[in-house]
Amino acid sequence: MVMRIFGASFAVTVVALVVAFLYGGPQALLLAAILGVLEVSLSFDNAVINATVLQRMNEFWQKIFLTIGVLIAVFGMRLVFPLIIVWAASGLGPVAALDLALNPPADGAAYFPDGRASYETLITDAHPQIAAFGGMFLLMLFLDFIFEEKEITWLSWLERPLERIGKLDQLSVVVASAILVLTATFIAPEGKSLTVMIAGVLGMITYILVNGLGELFNVDEEEGTSGGPSELAKAAGKAGFFLFLYLEVLDASFSFDGVIGAFAVTSDPVIIALGLGFIGAMFVRSITVYLVRKGTLAEYVYLEHGAHWAIGALAFILFYSIGHHVSELVSGLTGVFLILAALITSIIRNKNNPDVGTDADEDPQAETVSVNA
């Protein structure tokens, strides 16, 4: 199963590294490899969340996510999206924007001798609105999770009270709006407050729209299927399409900071696309499929919780990064720490309760093994 799931990723990695070598020699090969490793190591929470959504889709839409979805992730987010930002920010045409990306100023300067901003500078300057949009999308996802009543809880001492206050209608929107206002007022750089507000509101609208459409067309799942819906209940048709759309926006929100952070390694869009996209994105998708096929989320029931808390942490980090530099290692390692904590406590739970299943019909009061001690 491992080679069947990861075989394509290994093959694509070899091809990407060969292309990188032909494109820029040993240095380009090394940079692409570094970016690929960083993307995989820092995006495990993305894979877990993707798996929670993917297991709700039927086989057809799962294949669409793994084919067309990969193309969107590789070419759309890692190559075309940065070029669109440069195109919009500089007023250059698409060909000129690509030329600007491929021919940076000498010695890594931020500006050309004629005063034009470099590709990297234009991307970095667009970070506040990118972080506001992505941060708001992820924050809404996190808030909807922690305010939703759940049969199984991980941080029970915290999640249970949040579930109780979550009964207040539209609380996620209220909390997210308040955080956006505070971010735009106290964190956003001078002159960027309105831009951050608009981008954040657009992120919220996108989440509500895509998530709402998915729920509107979704089929009713059988009760007691926290380990994943039955085959008959898996989303198809319009429901599958909107779940696919939701997954792509979610993946884009995760990848925003990765694309920006890649410029700490290189500003070459071809190497970024090869490293983050062809290598990193492919492996993240393979990990997602592995989690679904192995039933890992059903076996280790706190993984989904840990991934959502990692999403919440990333959302707040993105908001903070609007006005302050945050190392990509901080956001990545925070997610890794929360995922590992959820995995370890899941293993402890399974060891202490070997006869207890993973279905949602368990006594919720018994699910306090992890962090109540």
Side-chain angles (χ1 to χ4, degrees):
M1 174 184 284
V2 174
M3 283 308 301
R4 186 169 70 250
I5 293 176
F6 287 92
S9 295
F10 285 116
V12 169
T13 296
V14 172
V15 173
L17 292 177
V18 170
V19 172
F21 180 80
L22 296 175
Y23 173 76
Q27 182 179 9
L29 185 150
L30 178 62
L31 292 175
I34 291 173
L35 288 175
V37 171
L38 286 175
E39 177 77 357
V40 173
S41 61
L42 303 182
S43 297
F44 192 77
D45 50 350
N46 188 3
V48 175
I49 291 298
N50 284 350
T52 65
V53 181
L54 196 66
Q55 68 180 359
R56 295 166 55 193
M57 303 163 72
N58 66 9
E59 185 177 355
F60 170 79
W61 283 107
Q62 289 182 4
K63 289 180 178 179
I64 292 294
F65 173 72
L66 298 171
T67 52
I68 297 176
V70 167
L71 295 178
I72 294 174
V74 173
F75 293 103
M77 288 310 304
R78 273 74 177 186
L79 182 60
V80 177
F81 176 71
L83 288 172
I84 291 175
I85 293 176
V86 173
W87 181 9
S90 64
L92 298 172
V95 176
L98 180 60
D99 179 70
L100 183 68
L102 296 175
N103 299 284
D107 302 323
Y111 295 90
F112 289 89
D114 60 7
R116 288 182 299 144
S118 69
Y119 178 82
E120 179 179 355
T121 301
L122 290 170
I123 292 290
T124 304
D125 288 345
H127 177 71
Q129 49 265 48
I130 295 172
F133 180 93
M136 182 55 67
F137 189 93
L138 295 177
L139 180 63
M140 287 294 297
L141 174 61
F142 168 67
L143 292 175
D144 274 355
F145 178 80
I146 63 171
F147 290 145
E148 179 186 25
E149 187 173 353
K150 297 174 287 294
E151 291 292 343
I152 296 176
T153 57
W154 180 39
L155 306 173
S156 300
W157 57 274
L158 180 57
E159 291 181 10
R160 289 301 183 195
L162 289 173
E163 288 177 7
R164 285 194 287 270
I165 64 174
K167 294 178 181 179
L168 179 64
D169 193 33
Q170 300 300 321
L171 183 60
S172 296
V173 175
V174 173
V175 173
S177 299
I179 292 174
L180 178 60
V181 170
L182 292 173
T183 301
T185 303
F186 298 107
I187 297 179
E190 186 177 354
K192 291 284 188 177
S193 295
L194 180 59
T195 301
V196 168
M197 282 292 298
I198 294 174
V201 170
L202 289 175
M204 179 185 295
I205 291 173
T206 301
Y207 174 83
I208 294 173
L209 180 63
V210 177
N211 187 57
L213 288 171
E215 293 296 327
L216 176 64
F217 292 103
N218 207 358
V219 292
D220 292 330
E221 296 178 6
E222 296 179 355
E223 293 184 3
T225 55
S226 65
S230 69
E231 291 298 323
L232 294 176
K234 287 187 176 182
K238 293 179 180 179
F241 169 75
F242 286 116
L243 279 176
F244 168 75
L245 185 61
Y246 176 82
L247 264 178
E248 291 306 313
V249 178
L250 178 62
D251 181 69
S253 299
F254 270 103
S255 66
F256 284 147
D257 62 328
V259 173
I260 298 295
F263 286 96
V265 178
T266 178
S267 60
D268 191 310
V270 175
I271 297 177
I272 290 175
L274 290 171
L276 295 185
F278 284 94
I279 300 175
M282 279 294 296
F283 268 101
V284 170
R285 271 159 171 69
S286 293
I287 294 171
T288 298
V289 175
Y290 182 81
L291 293 174
V292 174
R293 298 285 187 267
K294 291 286 290 183
T296 306
L297 297 180
E299 183 177 358
Y300 304 104
V301 294
Y302 298 140
L303 269 182
E304 182 180 355
H305 295 256
H308 277 91
W309 281 99
I311 282 178
L314 177 58
F316 282 103
I317 289 172
L318 282 173
F319 281 129
Y320 184 78
S321 72
I322 290 174
H324 308 277
H325 173 72
V326 179
S327 170
E328 290 69 38
L329 289 177
V330 173
S331 57
L333 292 179
T334 299
V336 169
F337 171 79
L338 289 167
I339 293 292
L340 286 177
L343 176 62
I344 292 171
T345 50
S346 295
I347 294 173
I348 294 174
R349 168 191 179 274
N350 293 344
K351 183 178 180 180
N352 292 340
N353 303 276
D355 298 326
V356 176
T358 58
D359 289 337
D361 56 1
E362 299 172 30
D363 179 7
Q365 299 302 319
E367 301 302 326
T368 59
V369 61
S370 59
V371 220
N372 291 336

PDB file of all heavy atoms in Angstrom, residues 173-204:
ATOM      1  N   VAL A 173     -18.435  33.992  13.814  1.00  0.00           N
ATOM      2  CA  VAL A 173     -18.338  35.236  13.052  1.00  0.00           C
ATOM      3  C   VAL A 173     -18.029  36.414  13.978  1.00  0.00           C
ATOM      4  O   VAL A 173     -17.209  37.279  13.645  1.00  0.00           O
ATOM      5  CB  VAL A 173     -19.643  35.489  12.272  1.00  0.00           C
ATOM      6  CG1 VAL A 173     -19.602  36.843  11.566  1.00  0.00           C
ATOM      7  CG2 VAL A 173     -19.886  34.372  11.270  1.00  0.00           C
ATOM      8  N   VAL A 174     -18.663  36.425  15.126  1.00  0.00           N
ATOM      9  CA  VAL A 174     -18.446  37.520  16.081  1.00  0.00           C
ATOM     10  C   VAL A 174     -16.991  37.542  16.561  1.00  0.00           C
ATOM     11  O   VAL A 174     -16.330  38.585  16.554  1.00  0.00           O
ATOM     12  CB  VAL A 174     -19.400  37.381  17.285  1.00  0.00           C
ATOM     13  CG1 VAL A 174     -19.062  38.419  18.362  1.00  0.00           C
ATOM     14  CG2 VAL A 174     -20.850  37.545  16.834  1.00  0.00           C
ATOM     15  N   VAL A 175     -16.488  36.389  16.983  1.00  0.00           N
ATOM     16  CA  VAL A 175     -15.126  36.312  17.494  1.00  0.00           C
ATOM     17  C   VAL A 175     -14.116  36.628  16.393  1.00  0.00           C
ATOM     18  O   VAL A 175     -13.165  37.389  16.600  1.00  0.00           O
ATOM     19  CB  VAL A 175     -14.851  34.913  18.088  1.00  0.00           C
ATOM     20  CG1 VAL A 175     -13.382  34.774  18.475  1.00  0.00           C
ATOM     21  CG2 VAL A 175     -15.730  34.677  19.304  1.00  0.00           C
ATOM     22  N   ALA A 176     -14.305  36.058  15.213  1.00  0.00           N
ATOM     23  CA  ALA A 176     -13.382  36.295  14.110  1.00  0.00           C
ATOM     24  C   ALA A 176     -13.372  37.766  13.707  1.00  0.00           C
ATOM     25  O   ALA A 176     -12.312  38.348  13.422  1.00  0.00           O
ATOM     26  CB  ALA A 176     -13.758  35.428  12.912  1.00  0.00           C
ATOM     27  N   SER A 177     -14.531  38.393  13.691  1.00  0.00           N
ATOM     28  CA  SER A 177     -14.615  39.820  13.332  1.00  0.00           C
ATOM     29  C   SER A 177     -13.874  40.674  14.350  1.00  0.00           C
ATOM     30  O   SER A 177     -13.167  41.625  13.980  1.00  0.00           O
ATOM     31  CB  SER A 177     -16.078  40.253  13.241  1.00  0.00           C
ATOM     32  OG  SER A 177     -16.768  39.532  12.242  1.00  0.00           O
ATOM     33  N   ALA A 178     -14.037  40.334  15.634  1.00  0.00           N
ATOM     34  CA  ALA A 178     -13.344  41.092  16.677  1.00  0.00           C
ATOM     35  C   ALA A 178     -11.830  40.962  16.537  1.00  0.00           C
ATOM     36  O   ALA A 178     -11.084  41.944  16.664  1.00  0.00           O
ATOM     37  CB  ALA A 178     -13.798  40.612  18.058  1.00  0.00           C
ATOM     38  N   ILE A 179     -11.361  39.745  16.262  1.00  0.00           N
ATOM     39  CA  ILE A 179      -9.921  39.530  16.090  1.00  0.00           C
ATOM     40  C   ILE A 179      -9.406  40.278  14.873  1.00  0.00           C
ATOM     41  O   ILE A 179      -8.305  40.860  14.904  1.00  0.00           O
ATOM     42  CB  ILE A 179      -9.629  38.021  15.974  1.00  0.00           C
ATOM     43  CG1 ILE A 179      -9.919  37.321  17.304  1.00  0.00           C
ATOM     44  CG2 ILE A 179      -8.181  37.771  15.548  1.00  0.00           C
ATOM     45  CD1 ILE A 179      -9.808  35.818  17.239  1.00  0.00           C
ATOM     46  N   LEU A 180     -10.177  40.308  13.794  1.00  0.00           N
ATOM     47  CA  LEU A 180      -9.775  41.041  12.589  1.00  0.00           C
ATOM     48  C   LEU A 180      -9.658  42.526  12.871  1.00  0.00           C
ATOM     49  O   LEU A 180      -8.692  43.185  12.438  1.00  0.00           O
ATOM     50  CB  LEU A 180     -10.783  40.788  11.474  1.00  0.00           C
ATOM     51  CG  LEU A 180     -10.516  41.529  10.159  1.00  0.00           C
ATOM     52  CD1 LEU A 180      -9.172  41.133   9.578  1.00  0.00           C
ATOM     53  CD2 LEU A 180     -11.640  41.250   9.161  1.00  0.00           C
ATOM     54  N   VAL A 181     -10.618  43.084  13.602  1.00  0.00           N
ATOM     55  CA  VAL A 181     -10.569  44.511  13.941  1.00  0.00           C
ATOM     56  C   VAL A 181      -9.343  44.825  14.796  1.00  0.00           C
ATOM     57  O   VAL A 181      -8.638  45.818  14.558  1.00  0.00           O
ATOM     58  CB  VAL A 181     -11.863  44.936  14.667  1.00  0.00           C
ATOM     59  CG1 VAL A 181     -11.717  46.350  15.230  1.00  0.00           C
ATOM     60  CG2 VAL A 181     -13.049  44.869  13.724  1.00  0.00           C
ATOM     61  N   LEU A 182      -9.072  43.990  15.775  1.00  0.00           N
ATOM     62  CA  LEU A 182      -7.896  44.198  16.626  1.00  0.00           C
ATOM     63  C   LEU A 182      -6.608  44.108  15.816  1.00  0.00           C
ATOM     64  O   LEU A 182      -5.670  44.891  16.016  1.00  0.00           O
ATOM     65  CB  LEU A 182      -7.884  43.170  17.755  1.00  0.00           C
ATOM     66  CG  LEU A 182      -8.983  43.310  18.817  1.00  0.00           C
ATOM     67  CD1 LEU A 182      -8.945  42.125  19.779  1.00  0.00           C
ATOM     68  CD2 LEU A 182      -8.822  44.619  19.583  1.00  0.00           C
ATOM     69  N   THR A 183      -6.565  43.144  14.887  1.00  0.00           N
ATOM     70  CA  THR A 183      -5.375  42.989  14.045  1.00  0.00           C
ATOM     71  C   THR A 183      -5.160  44.212  13.169  1.00  0.00           C
ATOM     72  O   THR A 183      -4.043  44.726  13.065  1.00  0.00           O
ATOM     73  CB  THR A 183      -5.506  41.734  13.161  1.00  0.00           C
ATOM     74  OG1 THR A 183      -5.674  40.584  13.985  1.00  0.00           O
ATOM     75  CG2 THR A 183      -4.271  41.561  12.286  1.00  0.00           C
ATOM     76  N   ALA A 184      -6.227  44.662  12.520  1.00  0.00           N
ATOM     77  CA  ALA A 184      -6.121  45.824  11.631  1.00  0.00           C
ATOM     78  C   ALA A 184      -5.773  47.088  12.403  1.00  0.00           C
ATOM     79  O   ALA A 184      -5.086  47.978  11.881  1.00  0.00           O
ATOM     80  CB  ALA A 184      -7.429  46.018  10.871  1.00  0.00           C
ATOM     81  N   THR A 185      -6.208  47.172  13.653  1.00  0.00           N
ATOM     82  CA  THR A 185      -5.995  48.391  14.445  1.00  0.00           C
ATOM     83  C   THR A 185      -4.617  48.426  15.091  1.00  0.00           C
ATOM     84  O   THR A 185      -3.931  49.461  15.061  1.00  0.00           O
ATOM     85  CB  THR A 185      -7.068  48.503  15.548  1.00  0.00           C
ATOM     86  OG1 THR A 185      -8.363  48.479  14.948  1.00  0.00           O
ATOM     87  CG2 THR A 185      -6.890  49.807  16.337  1.00  0.00           C
ATOM     88  N   PHE A 186      -4.178  47.308  15.641  1.00  0.00           N
ATOM     89  CA  PHE A 186      -2.964  47.326  16.467  1.00  0.00           C
ATOM     90  C   PHE A 186      -1.757  46.608  15.851  1.00  0.00           C
ATOM     91  O   PHE A 186      -0.632  46.828  16.301  1.00  0.00           O
ATOM     92  CB  PHE A 186      -3.266  46.691  17.831  1.00  0.00           C
ATOM     93  CG  PHE A 186      -4.302  47.427  18.627  1.00  0.00           C
ATOM     94  CD1 PHE A 186      -5.581  46.907  18.774  1.00  0.00           C
ATOM     95  CD2 PHE A 186      -4.011  48.655  19.210  1.00  0.00           C
ATOM     96  CE1 PHE A 186      -6.544  47.582  19.506  1.00  0.00           C
ATOM     97  CE2 PHE A 186      -4.972  49.340  19.953  1.00  0.00           C
ATOM     98  CZ  PHE A 186      -6.247  48.806  20.089  1.00  0.00           C
ATOM     99  N   ILE A 187      -1.962  45.757  14.866  1.00  0.00           N
ATOM    100  CA  ILE A 187      -0.851  44.971  14.323  1.00  0.00           C
ATOM    101  C   ILE A 187      -0.485  45.388  12.903  1.00  0.00           C
ATOM    102  O   ILE A 187       0.696  45.405  12.549  1.00  0.00           O
ATOM    103  CB  ILE A 187      -1.183  43.465  14.364  1.00  0.00           C
ATOM    104  CG1 ILE A 187      -1.369  43.011  15.815  1.00  0.00           C
ATOM    105  CG2 ILE A 187      -0.076  42.655  13.692  1.00  0.00           C
ATOM    106  CD1 ILE A 187      -1.713  41.538  15.955  1.00  0.00           C
ATOM    107  N   ALA A 188      -1.482  45.712  12.095  1.00  0.00           N
ATOM    108  CA  ALA A 188      -1.223  46.036  10.695  1.00  0.00           C
ATOM    109  C   ALA A 188      -0.274  47.225  10.572  1.00  0.00           C
ATOM    110  O   ALA A 188      -0.356  48.177  11.348  1.00  0.00           O
ATOM    111  CB  ALA A 188      -2.535  46.349   9.978  1.00  0.00           C
ATOM    112  N   PRO A 189       0.652  47.207   9.603  1.00  0.00           N
ATOM    113  CA  PRO A 189       1.561  48.349   9.391  1.00  0.00           C
ATOM    114  C   PRO A 189       0.778  49.605   9.037  1.00  0.00           C
ATOM    115  O   PRO A 189      -0.377  49.545   8.599  1.00  0.00           O
ATOM    116  CB  PRO A 189       2.424  47.887   8.205  1.00  0.00           C
ATOM    117  CG  PRO A 189       2.279  46.406   8.157  1.00  0.00           C
ATOM    118  CD  PRO A 189       0.912  46.104   8.670  1.00  0.00           C
ATOM    119  N   GLU A 190       1.417  50.720   9.222  1.00  0.00           N
ATOM    120  CA  GLU A 190       0.773  52.001   8.934  1.00  0.00           C
ATOM    121  C   GLU A 190       0.334  52.052   7.467  1.00  0.00           C
ATOM    122  O   GLU A 190       1.080  51.718   6.560  1.00  0.00           O
ATOM    123  CB  GLU A 190       1.752  53.142   9.214  1.00  0.00           C
ATOM    124  CG  GLU A 190       1.130  54.519   9.073  1.00  0.00           C
ATOM    125  CD  GLU A 190       2.106  55.632   9.440  1.00  0.00           C
ATOM    126  OE1 GLU A 190       3.217  55.308   9.904  1.00  0.00           O
ATOM    127  OE2 GLU A 190       1.756  56.801   9.257  1.00  0.00           O
ATOM    128  N   GLY A 191      -0.904  52.458   7.277  1.00  0.00           N
ATOM    129  CA  GLY A 191      -1.447  52.559   5.931  1.00  0.00           C
ATOM    130  C   GLY A 191      -2.015  51.269   5.383  1.00  0.00           C
ATOM    131  O   GLY A 191      -2.529  51.247   4.257  1.00  0.00           O
ATOM    132  N   LYS A 192      -1.927  50.170   6.143  1.00  0.00           N
ATOM    133  CA  LYS A 192      -2.400  48.870   5.666  1.00  0.00           C
ATOM    134  C   LYS A 192      -3.673  48.400   6.372  1.00  0.00           C
ATOM    135  O   LYS A 192      -4.176  47.315   6.068  1.00  0.00           O
ATOM    136  CB  LYS A 192      -1.309  47.808   5.862  1.00  0.00           C
ATOM    137  CG  LYS A 192      -0.090  47.966   4.970  1.00  0.00           C
ATOM    138  CD  LYS A 192      -0.388  47.523   3.557  1.00  0.00           C
ATOM    139  CE  LYS A 192       0.862  47.490   2.706  1.00  0.00           C
ATOM    140  NZ  LYS A 192       0.592  46.991   1.328  1.00  0.00           N
ATOM    141  N   SER A 193      -4.194  49.179   7.299  1.00  0.00           N
ATOM    142  CA  SER A 193      -5.335  48.729   8.098  1.00  0.00           C
ATOM    143  C   SER A 193      -6.551  48.421   7.232  1.00  0.00           C
ATOM    144  O   SER A 193      -7.193  47.372   7.383  1.00  0.00           O
ATOM    145  CB  SER A 193      -5.696  49.784   9.147  1.00  0.00           C
ATOM    146  OG  SER A 193      -4.653  49.938  10.086  1.00  0.00           O
ATOM    147  N   LEU A 194      -6.876  49.317   6.318  1.00  0.00           N
ATOM    148  CA  LEU A 194      -8.049  49.101   5.465  1.00  0.00           C
ATOM    149  C   LEU A 194      -7.842  47.885   4.561  1.00  0.00           C
ATOM    150  O   LEU A 194      -8.759  47.081   4.369  1.00  0.00           O
ATOM    151  CB  LEU A 194      -8.319  50.346   4.623  1.00  0.00           C
ATOM    152  CG  LEU A 194      -9.534  50.257   3.673  1.00  0.00           C
ATOM    153  CD1 LEU A 194     -10.801  49.993   4.465  1.00  0.00           C
ATOM    154  CD2 LEU A 194      -9.670  51.545   2.848  1.00  0.00           C
ATOM    155  N   THR A 195      -6.641  47.747   4.037  1.00  0.00           N
ATOM    156  CA  THR A 195      -6.330  46.601   3.177  1.00  0.00           C
ATOM    157  C   THR A 195      -6.498  45.291   3.937  1.00  0.00           C
ATOM    158  O   THR A 195      -7.059  44.319   3.419  1.00  0.00           O
ATOM    159  CB  THR A 195      -4.889  46.704   2.650  1.00  0.00           C
ATOM    160  OG1 THR A 195      -4.749  47.916   1.907  1.00  0.00           O
ATOM    161  CG2 THR A 195      -4.551  45.532   1.764  1.00  0.00           C
ATOM    162  N   VAL A 196      -6.004  45.275   5.170  1.00  0.00           N
ATOM    163  CA  VAL A 196      -6.123  44.072   6.005  1.00  0.00           C
ATOM    164  C   VAL A 196      -7.587  43.774   6.313  1.00  0.00           C
ATOM    165  O   VAL A 196      -8.021  42.615   6.263  1.00  0.00           O
ATOM    166  CB  VAL A 196      -5.306  44.249   7.301  1.00  0.00           C
ATOM    167  CG1 VAL A 196      -5.645  43.153   8.313  1.00  0.00           C
ATOM    168  CG2 VAL A 196      -3.820  44.240   6.998  1.00  0.00           C
ATOM    169  N   MET A 197      -8.365  44.804   6.609  1.00  0.00           N
ATOM    170  CA  MET A 197      -9.781  44.610   6.904  1.00  0.00           C
ATOM    171  C   MET A 197     -10.510  44.014   5.700  1.00  0.00           C
ATOM    172  O   MET A 197     -11.275  43.046   5.833  1.00  0.00           O
ATOM    173  CB  MET A 197     -10.428  45.937   7.292  1.00  0.00           C
ATOM    174  CG  MET A 197     -10.144  46.388   8.717  1.00  0.00           C
ATOM    175  SD  MET A 197     -10.920  45.313   9.957  1.00  0.00           S
ATOM    176  CE  MET A 197     -12.656  45.526   9.558  1.00  0.00           C
ATOM    177  N   ILE A 198     -10.273  44.595   4.529  1.00  0.00           N
ATOM    178  CA  ILE A 198     -10.953  44.109   3.321  1.00  0.00           C
ATOM    179  C   ILE A 198     -10.559  42.664   3.023  1.00  0.00           C
ATOM    180  O   ILE A 198     -11.415  41.811   2.743  1.00  0.00           O
ATOM    181  CB  ILE A 198     -10.626  45.018   2.118  1.00  0.00           C
ATOM    182  CG1 ILE A 198     -11.226  46.413   2.339  1.00  0.00           C
ATOM    183  CG2 ILE A 198     -11.147  44.406   0.823  1.00  0.00           C
ATOM    184  CD1 ILE A 198     -10.839  47.418   1.283  1.00  0.00           C
ATOM    185  N   ALA A 199      -9.251  42.374   3.090  1.00  0.00           N
ATOM    186  CA  ALA A 199      -8.780  41.010   2.807  1.00  0.00           C
ATOM    187  C   ALA A 199      -9.349  40.022   3.824  1.00  0.00           C
ATOM    188  O   ALA A 199      -9.742  38.899   3.462  1.00  0.00           O
ATOM    189  CB  ALA A 199      -7.256  40.973   2.818  1.00  0.00           C
ATOM    190  N   GLY A 200      -9.389  40.417   5.089  1.00  0.00           N
ATOM    191  CA  GLY A 200      -9.932  39.541   6.121  1.00  0.00           C
ATOM    192  C   GLY A 200     -11.413  39.263   5.916  1.00  0.00           C
ATOM    193  O   GLY A 200     -11.870  38.119   6.067  1.00  0.00           O
ATOM    194  N   VAL A 201     -12.177  40.295   5.576  1.00  0.00           N
ATOM    195  CA  VAL A 201     -13.606  40.115   5.319  1.00  0.00           C
ATOM    196  C   VAL A 201     -13.818  39.200   4.117  1.00  0.00           C
ATOM    197  O   VAL A 201     -14.704  38.335   4.120  1.00  0.00           O
ATOM    198  CB  VAL A 201     -14.297  41.479   5.096  1.00  0.00           C
ATOM    199  CG1 VAL A 201     -15.718  41.282   4.580  1.00  0.00           C
ATOM    200  CG2 VAL A 201     -14.311  42.288   6.382  1.00  0.00           C
ATOM    201  N   LEU A 202     -12.996  39.355   3.085  1.00  0.00           N
ATOM    202  CA  LEU A 202     -13.092  38.477   1.916  1.00  0.00           C
ATOM    203  C   LEU A 202     -12.776  37.035   2.295  1.00  0.00           C
ATOM    204  O   LEU A 202     -13.400  36.096   1.783  1.00  0.00           O
ATOM    205  CB  LEU A 202     -12.145  38.958   0.818  1.00  0.00           C
ATOM    206  CG  LEU A 202     -12.533  40.257   0.102  1.00  0.00           C
ATOM    207  CD1 LEU A 202     -11.443  40.671  -0.882  1.00  0.00           C
ATOM    208  CD2 LEU A 202     -13.868  40.092  -0.622  1.00  0.00           C
ATOM    209  N   GLY A 203     -11.798  36.843   3.182  1.00  0.00           N
ATOM    210  CA  GLY A 203     -11.491  35.497   3.661  1.00  0.00           C
ATOM    211  C   GLY A 203     -12.666  34.886   4.401  1.00  0.00           C
ATOM    212  O   GLY A 203     -12.982  33.699   4.233  1.00  0.00           O
ATOM    213  N   MET A 204     -13.331  35.692   5.223  1.00  0.00           N
ATOM    214  CA  MET A 204     -14.505  35.211   5.964  1.00  0.00           C
ATOM    215  C   MET A 204     -15.644  34.871   5.014  1.00  0.00           C
ATOM    216  O   MET A 204     -16.289  33.820   5.143  1.00  0.00           O
ATOM    217  CB  MET A 204     -14.963  36.268   6.976  1.00  0.00           C
ATOM    218  CG  MET A 204     -16.190  35.856   7.778  1.00  0.00           C
ATOM    219  SD  MET A 204     -16.790  37.170   8.867  1.00  0.00           S
ATOM    220  CE  MET A 204     -15.413  37.319  10.003  1.00  0.00           C
TER     221      MET A 204
END
